[in-house]
Amino acid sequence: MIEIDKVLKRLGVQANNSGVSTGLKCIEGSGDILESFSPVDGRKIAGVSSADGDDYELVIKKAQDAFGKWKLIPSPARGEIVRQMGEQFRLYKQDLGTLVSYEMGKSLQEGLGEVQEMIDICDFAVGLSRQLYGLTMHSERVNHRMYEQWHPLGVVGIISAFNFPVAVWSWNAMLALVCGNVCVWKPSEKTPLAALACQNIIRKVLEQSEVPEGVSSVMIGGKDLGELLAGDTRIALVSATGSTRMGKSVAETVGRRLGRSLLELGGNNAVIVTPSADLKIAIPGIVFGAVGTAGQRCTSTRRVIIHTDIFEEVKGKLIGAYRQLRIGNPLDENVHVGPLIDKAAVKSYEDATKRIQEAGGTLLTEYAVLSGPGFESGCYVVPCIAVVENHFPIVQQETFAPILYLIPYTDLEEAIALQNAVPQGLSSAIFTLNVRESEAFLSQVGSDCGIANVNIGTSGAEIGGAFGGEKETGGGRESGSDSWKAYMRRQTSTINYGESLPLAQGIKFEIE
Ligand code: NAD
């Protein structure tokens, strides 16, 4: 069995930790002591002194000073520093993945996968550091040249959620850094230790590269710190990942000061299963999407929209698959489903099972909170399946738990309409071997989500694509493709190398 205390020691996590770090220095936070408990066994892992308003001021001041120096370093040289951070994450992959699993409750495989995403985004950012391209245009004026270039924004505030305690930070931070910004990270108060461990891992690189203090800071605390970032005109971009409720609050506050926000919020993701679907891949795709991370991914599969001709067959196969699920300690690699993050999440699971039945839905499998040996934390629940109607209020909202809704359909147009008829728009998928169906799903009258997959489940995105969703998911895009543009400001420049001053649109303005 993995010895957690040794892992913590190697990651520099102590019994009591300073919750403020400016990259080079750790500072005792003056706020309350925040305690991190593992949902795996209920153990208190460690305490962290959280940041108060004065600590916040200090961090932002250091970040502003650092920006003045960091933006002058050529982008490929910043990329070299990010490359070294990626090397450190490679070295600490096993330990950091284990801590993510133990502090958050996802399976060790998924914890390791999260660190692999961090390594991948570092590699991506290194390449990007030489590819921050702007376009050139032909000017309509004689002897003029017109082009656009991209400049860094300034201090980027990163607010992250508990369910991806480290990867989402790296998606933002590594791109923001090569773009010339400095970062201030406010991780979830539910997973502070994973954040501090990341800071410990990159500290050596920051020191050896003689990077100014404040290029990459962390401050541990609750939503009040996130609210400070949202309202602060010194924060050029607030990148916030979390619930739609949080995103609406951040968007309002940032919008009031006409600042920039990048929002990655809740999902309510569906899979459409058509009569031609290859059920050998559809069933595992659906089950992994629904129970992976115990249903606590923004991209978790929540709804399955199944053609009536195969509804009973798919239902039977899903029930059969759910019977095989092993629930338990996520550090045990034979286990499929670990715990929920905390008892509040367990309560929302219980409430949802009641509301499904009150609305007229039918629960098809056992649903229960587990107790007894191995389940002492009180955070383990049995993943369940229910037949529902799409318009039920409980189905319209994101319940962050392993509850899978089955909904029948008769023609594809109806299936796509059902898939789109929720307030969220993150991820979607269709299982079909019919090219007309898959193309309709991907067309402009198809899925309205930021992610639309064919013969792949809704979760498990690669870093190379732009990640994010529409509607109440917030509209932001992070990670690959040209998402880097969100971390820079565009400047259009026109240069006159002639001897006269022609005006655009042929306007005449003559003076002696
Ligand atoms: P949450 O909204 O409770 O908290 C997320 C973060 O926001 C935390 O750091 C929290 O302290 C902070 N916060 C909360 N209220 C705030 C406010 N008013 N102002 C500023 N900051 C505030 O979310 P959670 O429970 O940690 O995470 C689960 C949610 O995150 C789910 O809805 C999930 O779908 C979503 N999520 C989305 C993505 C995505 O990329 N779309 C990725 C991961 C998680």
Side-chain angles (χ1 to χ4, degrees), residues 396-454:
Q396 291 284 310
Q397 72 186 52
E398 178 193 48
T399 302
F400 231 43
I403 302 175
L404 185 63
Y405 301 125
L406 308 189
I407 301 159
Y409 81 88
T410 47
D411 69 61
L412 188 65
E413 210 177 314
E414 181 197 1
I416 291 171
L418 286 166
Q419 124 78 35
N420 291 342
V422 288
Q424 310 81 354
L426 181 52
S427 186
S428 60
I430 190 168
F431 280 87
T432 180
L433 297 181
N434 180 329
V435 72
R436 288 187 181 149
E437 289 182 334
S438 62
E439 289 297 317
F441 176 73
L442 297 174
S443 75
Q444 70 277 25
V445 292
S447 165
D448 64 2
C449 292
I451 298 168
N453 295 332
V454 176

Side-chain angles (χ1 to χ4, degrees), residues 158-164 168 171 186-190 221-230 240-247 249-250 253 263-267 296-299 302 341 398 400 426 467-469 473 478:
I158 303 168
I159 300 171
S160 62
F162 80 85
N163 64 333
F164 276 90
V168 166
W171 290 0
K186 206 301 280 175
S188 167
E189 54 275 43
K190 295 176 185 176
K223 66 182 250 214
D224 47 325
L225 280 184
E227 285 167 348
L228 285 177
L229 283 171
T241 303
S243 58
T244 294
R245 188 189 57 246
M246 176 279 287
S249 161
V250 168
T253 310
L263 301 173
E264 295 286 356
L265 312 174
Q296 299 170 106
R297 286 189 183 204
C298 50
T299 51
R302 312 224 172 265
I341 182 70
E398 178 193 48
F400 231 43
L426 181 52
F467 182 90
T473 304
E478 285 175 1

Side-chain angles (χ1 to χ4, degrees), residues 9 31 182 272 278 350:
K9 197 164 170 217
V182 299
I272 297 173
D278 180 350
E350 288 179 295

Side-chain angles (χ1 to χ4, degrees), residues 66 120 125 171 180 187 208 228 233 244 322 336 373 387:
D120 294 344
W171 290 0
Q208 283 174 358
L228 285 177
T233 50
T244 294
Y322 268 55
H336 297 111
V387 178

